Amino acid sequence: MEINKVWAVYYSATGTTDRAVNTIAEALAAKLELPLERVGFTRPAERTAAHAFTGEDLVVVGSPTYAGKLPNKILPDFRTGLRGNGALAVPVVLFGNRSYDNALAELASVLEAGGFHTVAAGAFVGRHAFTDALGDGRPDWDDKRMMTDFAGKIADKVRRLTDIPEPVKVPGDPDAPYYVPKGLDGQPVKFLQAKPKTNLSKCTNCGACARLCPMGAIDPRDVTSVPGTCIKCQCCVRKCTRHAKYFDDPAFLSHVAMLEQNFREPRENEIFL
């Protein structure tokens, strides 16, 4: 098969998936001596138009894991906004040191249904969006070396292809339900209605949180107001240079405390070819 371009396509609210996908895609483009093009899929405006590829493209598509699957409010955009038209694809998911559960299986399934041919897949540990206590500093240098090695193996496989590959086999069930978050007491907790608060003594009303929100949920005229749907991605918390955004919902905080208590042991990346 003749491949003429490598693409990096990613939804990345806090930047971790962005870094991972681009590390893999850059290494792939270098090893195959092909041009690289990037497609951000994070901001609402970036997800309004469909992106069509061809059989001469190799597309690395990445998403973070939310409750063990793809972010449910972004999933429709992955389904309608990416057209494979026979392109090869590498689904990649990031997970915050707990588990990627069924996220990779779901992304691979969505891409296959969208006209892509999955040739490899990977699940990599990244800093948890909710807390620095899980996966802090990851992907680190060792992770990036593994990503580069992974890209080399993909490049070797692509060079050997003479026909459409069988879909890559990954663990998980794309139709499985979402992971149910638990609190410190081990009981399920619900924080779907939780929204970020604003420390007015720190906020300068610069509007960055509203501009960067993947859901466009924050009112740009009054950043203390969140009239839209919040998916708890922590973009506003992580991106605010004044550290003015925070969550104080008791159920959410109990879940974070549970994660910090039970999932500190470093997890391993997993790749599939």
Side-chain angles (χ1 to χ4, degrees), residues 63-71 93-96 98-101 103-104:
S63 171
T65 300
Y66 284 17
K69 298 190 73 177
L70 300 182
V93 297
L94 274 287
F95 65 102
R98 185 190 66 79
S99 174
Y100 62 93
D101 293 329
L104 189 60

Side-chain angles (χ1 to χ4, degrees), residues 10-239:
Y10 45 90
Y11 166 77
S12 184
T14 62
T16 305
T17 301
D18 177 338
R19 293 192 297 274
V21 167
N22 277 291
T23 296
I24 295 166
E26 287 168 8
L28 255 178
K31 291 176 185 299
L32 293 172
E33 299 182 325
L34 293 174
L36 170 64
E37 191 159 339
R38 297 172 173 85
V39 176
F41 207 63
T42 305
R43 311 292 169 242
E46 295 172 333
R47 303 193 304 272
T48 55
H51 300 279
F53 303 93
T54 75
E56 296 181 344
D57 293 321
L58 173 54
V59 190
V60 183
V61 182
S63 171
T65 300
Y66 284 17
K69 298 190 73 177
L70 300 182
N72 67 330
K73 297 299 183 182
I74 309 298
L75 178 57
D77 297 321
F78 276 106
R79 285 179 169 152
T80 62
L82 302 177
R83 301 295 188 200
N85 299 312
L88 298 181
V90 180
V92 172
V93 297
L94 274 287
F95 65 102
N97 206 64
R98 185 190 66 79
S99 174
Y100 62 93
D101 293 329
N102 300 289
L104 189 60
E106 185 173 39
L107 182 54
S109 176
V110 166
L111 293 175
E112 287 284 344
F116 294 88
H117 301 297
T118 54
V119 69
F124 296 90
V125 178
R127 180 191 65 184
H128 201 292
F130 292 173
T131 172
D132 289 344
L134 275 64
D136 189 28
R138 298 186 70 180
D140 57 21
W141 287 110
D142 288 335
D143 296 320
K144 291 176 181 177
R145 277 194 293 270
M146 186 173 183
M147 292 172 188
T148 301
D149 291 343
F150 178 46
K153 293 174 181 177
I154 299 169
D156 290 341
K157 182 175 182 178
V158 168
R159 289 191 191 101
R160 293 193 301 268
L161 287 177
T162 58
D163 205 348
I164 295 172
E166 290 292 319
V168 65
K169 291 181 172 58
V170 301
D173 177 3
D175 298 317
Y178 284 87
Y179 162 79
V180 177
K182 296 179 174 61
L184 267 175
D185 60 1
Q187 297 303 306
V189 291
K190 295 182 179 180
F191 45 84
L192 289 175
Q193 302 306 313
K195 294 188 176 185
K197 301 293 182 64
T198 305
N199 184 331
L200 294 176
S201 68
K202 295 180 179 179
C203 178
T204 62
N205 205 36
C206 70
C209 55
R211 291 193 301 273
L212 296 174
C213 176
M215 297 301 296
I218 300 173
D219 186 345
R221 297 162 299 183
D222 176 10
V223 297
T224 67
S225 175
V226 187
T229 300
C230 173
I231 59 174
K232 268 61 75 180
C233 70
Q234 308 298 301
C235 178
C236 60
V237 174
R238 294 289 187 179
K239 299 290 186 178

